[in-house]
Amino acid sequence: MLPDHPLVLHGGCNCRAIRYKVQVPARSQRPLNPFSDGQVPFPMVTTDHCNDCRRATGSILPTWICVPTSMMTCQLQPVSSSSSSSSTNQDARRGDDAAAPPSSPWVPAVELFKPGPDKDKYHVQFYQSSADITRTFCGRCGTNLTYFMTHGMGEGYPEIFDTILGTLDREDLEKDWMAPDRHCWWSCGIEWVQQLSNGGTVLPVHPTFKVNEFVE
Ligand SMILES: [Zn+2]
């Protein structure tokens, strides 16, 4: 569970064409998830055992941070200014600080993470996985980013960008408070995945090799 104090989270796609920032206010100012008996504030962090999101993300256990759209801003590199993806990736591997050019302003994500007049200007691409649901991904590097329900979840439920937790910068992810608060769509789950994620199973640790190539 996120700490009670205000904090800022950063993240983005693998090639850094898309960056986002989540400005989380103090807990007393965070909206509560109406489906949690009023106990769980947004942003909520949850695993997702549903079939649709597993396929759409290609992850055996997608995990989301569910962010009120009002808390999220983004910084997008225009398609017209894109450098080659290979050099961008080399820079990005040195750390999570590499961002879009300083000339790109931070703007409310709600303006650009939904299809709109600027949709061809940036690398954000859209996939309508159903009539009511828009998923975003980076058209250059392919990173899945957000899930958005056009008509929302019903009365009392804030407008939310479910955001792939793995797109947060590592320095944010390393905080203990980023661990998922709960499992969603548990009844849809695959049994061995549930066993992996239920916290009750101790797994053997596979030997590491060439670890420096994978741990930045
Ligand atoms: Zn990208």
Side-chain angles (χ1 to χ4, degrees):
M1 184 95 49
L2 293 177
D4 290 349
H5 59 75
L7 73 163
V8 181
L9 305 170
H10 294 86
C13 71
N14 194 39
C15 78
R16 271 54 180 181
I18 302 166
R19 297 286 299 159
Y20 64 79
K21 186 161 62 176
V22 180
Q23 288 172 291
V24 184
R27 180 175 172 133
S28 61
Q29 295 167 33
R30 298 173 201 164
L32 297 172
N33 185 328
F35 298 157
S36 68
D37 298 327
Q39 298 300 306
V40 178
F42 288 111
M44 178 182 85
V45 181
T46 180
T47 66
D48 179 356
H49 292 261
C50 90
N51 297 301
D52 201 28
C53 290
R54 184 190 68 247
R55 284 189 299 261
T57 63
S59 169
I60 197 65
L61 186 59
T63 304
W64 302 97
I65 179 167
C66 307
V67 179
T69 58
S70 59
M71 295 182 190
M72 185 181 269
T73 52
C74 64
Q75 187 187 43
L76 305 183
Q77 186 176 332
V79 170
S80 59
S81 73
S82 295
S83 56
S84 81
S85 58
S86 58
S87 64
T88 305
N89 260 327
Q90 283 303 311
D91 291 343
R93 288 190 66 82
R94 296 194 189 105
D96 283 327
D97 294 334
S103 58
S104 302
W106 287 94
V107 298
V110 74
E111 294 177 11
L112 295 174
F113 281 7
K114 293 193 281 189
D118 289 332
K119 70 181 178 58
D120 296 325
K121 193 174 169 188
Y122 301 107
H123 292 285
V124 179
Q125 298 291 311
F126 304 94
Y127 168 54
Q128 301 286 147
S129 57
S130 67
D132 196 28
I133 294 168
T134 300
R135 298 173 187 271
T136 62
F137 61 98
C138 175
R140 188 163 72 174
C141 69
T143 303
N144 276 273
L145 289 163
T146 61
Y147 168 106
F148 179 76
M149 291 190 77
T150 310
H151 301 299
M153 292 281 286
E155 195 175 336
Y157 206 96
E159 189 179 61
I160 296 283
F161 282 129
D162 289 343
T163 305
I164 300 275
L165 188 68
T167 63
L168 280 186
D169 291 350
R170 181 170 173 133
E171 64 181 282
D172 288 326
L173 281 176
E174 284 179 341
K175 302 287 195 301
D176 290 344
W177 58 59
M178 295 312 310
D181 301 326
R182 52 187 49 214
H183 295 291
C184 278
W185 305 106
W186 181 260
S187 61
C188 305
I190 293 169
E191 191 173 346
W192 66 259
V193 177
Q194 293 173 322
Q195 289 171 0
L196 285 175
S197 59
N198 203 22
T201 308
V202 178
L203 299 173
V205 176
H206 193 72
T208 51
F209 64 102
K210 293 184 179 176
V211 67
N212 289 337
E213 283 188 25
F214 300 102
V215 179
E216 294 180 49

